[in-house]
Amino acid sequence: MVMKTLVRLFAILMVLISSVGFVGSAVAANLNPVDAKLTTEFGQKIDLNNDHIRKFRDLRGFYPNLASKIINNAPYDSVEEVLEIPGLSERQKQRLEANFDQFVVTPPADELIEGGDRLNPGLY
């Protein structure tokens, strides 16, 4: 009888502990700046200050050369500022202008830009 009671208490305790862990991780996720960015245009457009090079693959003429120039010259205060990158050809400027509606600029997030992961995000 005592053993059954102890096992039941232990099971209830484990359920309570796992519930607290789940709630705690949900609260922590709400505090994550990257998750906050996903509620903005960041999730729908290419963020010139935060996204990695592979996000540019669907844009004709961007991957990898023009995308590398964009990443290496970040951060930007506005989308139009990418036209000021030194050494851009007229054709590259035209490609940029034609795709302004695909881009967004948000403040750089350390979680997304540190360690050179923007040029080599390790996706193979």
Side-chain angles (χ1 to χ4, degrees):
M1 179 87 163
V2 175
M3 189 59 131
K4 282 185 179 181
T5 305
L6 286 175
V7 169
R8 286 182 185 155
L9 287 174
F10 181 73
I12 291 171
L13 181 64
M14 298 303 349
V15 169
L16 289 174
I17 289 173
S18 64
S19 298
V20 170
F22 177 74
V23 170
S25 65
V27 170
N30 287 334
L31 300 176
N32 185 338
V34 175
D35 288 337
K37 278 187 180 293
L38 291 175
T39 63
T40 67
E41 286 183 299
F42 175 81
Q44 289 76 42
K45 296 184 177 187
I46 297 172
D47 187 334
L48 299 177
N49 286 336
N50 292 292
D51 275 330
H52 57 76
I53 194 166
R54 292 179 58 109
K55 294 281 188 154
F56 291 90
R57 286 183 306 167
D58 293 336
L59 297 177
R60 181 178 165 92
F62 278 76
Y63 183 81
N65 296 332
L66 183 53
S68 296
K69 287 182 181 183
I70 293 169
I71 289 170
N72 285 327
N73 286 280
Y76 304 99
D77 293 323
S78 68
V79 171
E80 294 77 15
E81 197 174 320
V82 295
L83 295 175
E84 300 171 15
I85 296 173
L88 287 179
S89 68
E90 284 304 312
R91 186 170 181 94
Q92 288 174 325
K93 289 180 182 180
Q94 290 171 354
R95 287 189 194 274
L96 284 166
E97 288 175 336
N99 288 284
F100 275 173
D101 62 332
Q102 300 293 316
F103 304 132
V104 67
V105 171
T106 65
D110 290 339
E111 297 85 0
L112 295 169
I113 63 172
E114 66 184 19
D117 289 344
R118 292 189 70 203
L119 288 174
N120 184 5
L123 303 171
Y124 303 105

